[in-house]
Every structure is written in C-alpha cells, then in structure tokens.
Amino acid sequence: MNEQSSEPLAFVPLDEGNPTPLYLQLQQSIEEAVRKGALKADAALPGERDLAKQLGISRVTVRKAITGLVQKGVLVQRWGSGTFIAPQMRLEQPLSRLSSFTDDMSARGLSSSAVMLSRSTGPASTDELMALGLSPGDLVSRVNRLRLANGIPMAIENAVIPSKVLPDPSLVRQSLYAVLHEQGFMPTRALQRLHAVLLNEEQASLLGVPPQSPALYIERRSFTATGEVVEFTSSYYRGDAYDFVAELTISQPERMHNDDT
C-alpha cells in the first residue's frame, strides 16, 4: 500500500500579492505538475500539515485546494491512506460486445491483474437460483475479485457460476472466460443491467477512492450458444475511470403518405 509522502514536492511558488486566492493557486500548481509529468498517477501527496508547512500557508487553504481537486477528479483520497494523484486513464467500455476484463485491458495495451477476495462453493441463494435458472439445492461456485489495470484498482467483480459448469472455483486465477472456454461453456451472448450507485466504505477502500464515491453497478447474465446460463456477475466499476458506450441504430420513420400536397 502506498504511504502518504512527507517528501517536499516542487510546486510553483504561491504569491500572496496575486489576486487569485491561494487555494486556487495551489490547485493550478498541482494540475500543472500533473500535466508536465512531475506528479505521476498514483503518486502520494504530503499530508495537509506537511504541505501547509512547506508552502507557508494554512491547513484550511490546503484542505480547500485538495477538496476542489478531488471533486475535479485530479486527486483521489484513499480511506486510511492519504491523498494521491488520480489515474490518468479513462476507459471506454462498449456495451455491445461481450469480452473479459483481461481481453479488454490487453486490447488497450494495459496489463490486467486480479486480487482474489474470496472463493467458495455452496447452495445457491434465491436470487442466484432465479438468475441462473437453477433448482433449489443446486450448488454454485462464487469468485469475488478486485480487477486492476496497470496496477490501478478498476472494478470489483462478484461472479456466480453453476457448480456443474465450474466445480472448482480455484481454477479461476486470471480470466474467468478462459476457464469457461476450457470447461466447454464459453458464453456467446449476455444480458446486462447497469445503474449508478455510491460505494460503501469497504468497496471504496478496495477501489482506492473516498466512501460515497460514484460507481457503475452492472449485473450480467451470460449464455452459451444453446441458451444455458453459465454466469451471473455483479460488478462495481469506478465512476472516475470508466465510460460505458453503446452504439445505437436509429430506426427510420415510415414514409408518410403525401396526401396533403
């Protein structure tokens, strides 16, 4: 885990004689350092006290500047860790294509990885029975992971798979779809539902953002070519790093009879 830095950072000197408020000058200085690459993505800022002492300004001024940059998405505050430069990547995810997180990141030239949060096998819950079309008493495998791109947390994925499809959840190490393909249950289509949510403390801590940060919650049911449901996944995607894009086809209106001319 990154620790909050106490090393001095090179900012443009603040000018009390400048009509621009000091907190805005500090914001501009940090943004300029990010643009020039002096501050890299995921780099830790000094604590408020250290930064105020370094710049000769009040902690209130520092806090106001940081709050504004967090709202703009330049900085992120990680629960219990400190303030960091936000990821300078924003990913577009097509809603019309079914692909794994691993394949998505690889196509963008990014390195994907996963932190395993939990793996288990047990009876399906009522919601899982309905989502997967199972019968009471049927077993499922659950795989809960934190997905990362270039080492930056991007999404929390909670996958539920019928045990007849995935009897051993420990087989999943990187790509779930790769395992489903090996098992002979590769999905060919999926139905997705998504809506905006606010992250709770545990979710926010995993994704490295403040509690109550916006996120996109997605439920996906995936089907084989024969129509069998093989996956029910619920995911939380960082709202500051993901754009979901859908291509729409515009239906042409029927030709109106030109009876009036």
Side-chain angles (χ1 to χ4, degrees), residues 16-46:
E16 293 188 359
N18 190 318
T20 302
L22 289 175
Y23 81 93
L24 288 179
Q25 291 186 46
L26 178 54
Q27 287 183 358
Q28 292 165 2
S29 179
I30 293 175
E31 289 180 295
E32 183 67 13
V34 172
R35 279 194 297 270
K36 291 182 175 179
L39 288 175
K40 305 292 186 181
D42 217 34
L45 285 185

Side-chain angles (χ1 to χ4, degrees), residues 98 177 180-181 185-190 222-225 230-231:
L98 177 61
Y177 281 12
L180 293 180
H181 178 72
F185 293 98
M186 184 63 185
T188 59
R189 67 182 183 91
S222 301
F223 303 81
T224 63
V230 292
E231 172 207 14

Side-chain angles (χ1 to χ4, degrees), residues 32-255:
E32 183 67 13
V34 172
R35 279 194 297 270
K36 291 182 175 179
L39 288 175
K40 305 292 186 181
D42 217 34
L45 285 185
E48 287 182 3
R49 180 177 300 175
D50 292 334
L51 198 52
K53 182 177 180 181
Q54 177 186 339
L55 298 172
I57 57 178
S58 70
R59 289 183 65 180
V60 173
T61 299
V62 172
R63 187 176 300 119
K64 189 172 182 179
I66 289 175
T67 298
L69 291 177
V70 169
Q71 292 173 347
K72 292 172 67 175
V74 177
L75 302 177
V76 293
Q77 291 179 313
R78 298 177 182 169
W79 195 249
S81 297
T83 304
F84 298 80
I85 306 301
Q88 300 304 299
M89 67 170 76
R90 192 162 188 93
L91 304 180
E92 285 194 356
Q93 176 63 42
L95 289 173
S96 57
R97 187 180 73 239
L98 177 61
S99 59
S100 69
F101 182 90
T102 303
D103 289 341
D104 285 339
M105 296 306 106
S106 177
R108 294 177 171 90
L110 302 175
S111 172
S112 66
S113 57
V115 175
M116 190 62 63
L117 302 177
S118 66
R119 281 187 289 216
S120 64
T121 300
S125 68
T126 301
D127 288 344
E128 293 166 349
L129 289 174
M130 294 179 62
L132 294 168
L134 301 177
S135 301
D138 283 350
L139 299 179
V140 294
S141 293
R142 300 182 182 92
V143 180
N144 303 325
R145 297 176 293 170
L146 178 67
R147 307 309 306 268
L148 303 94
N150 283 359
I152 298 172
M154 300 297 288
I156 301 168
E157 288 186 354
N158 304 308
V160 185
I161 307 97
S163 286
K164 64 180 180 180
V165 173
L166 180 68
D168 182 5
S170 67
L171 293 174
V172 180
R173 291 183 173 84
Q174 181 67 4
S175 172
L176 169 62
Y177 281 12
V179 176
L180 293 180
H181 178 72
E182 292 171 359
Q183 299 291 107
F185 293 98
M186 184 63 185
T188 59
R189 67 182 183 91
L191 295 176
Q192 293 194 138
R193 297 177 58 191
L194 70 160
H195 61 265
V197 296
L198 297 178
L199 298 170
N200 62 32
E201 287 190 9
E202 180 181 2
Q203 295 162 345
S205 177
L206 288 170
L207 291 173
V209 297
Q212 299 300 298
S213 291
L216 289 168
Y217 173 76
I218 297 182
E219 286 186 351
R220 181 177 68 240
R221 291 196 304 151
S222 301
F223 303 81
T224 63
T226 60
E228 183 177 5
V229 188
V230 292
E231 172 207 14
F232 174 56
T233 295
S234 56
S235 303
Y236 295 85
Y237 287 83
R238 287 177 57 153
D240 65 343
Y242 259 98
D243 288 323
F244 284 84
V245 180
E247 181 178 350
L248 305 178
T249 300
I250 301 176
S251 58
Q252 298 297 322
E254 293 183 6
R255 289 182 175 273

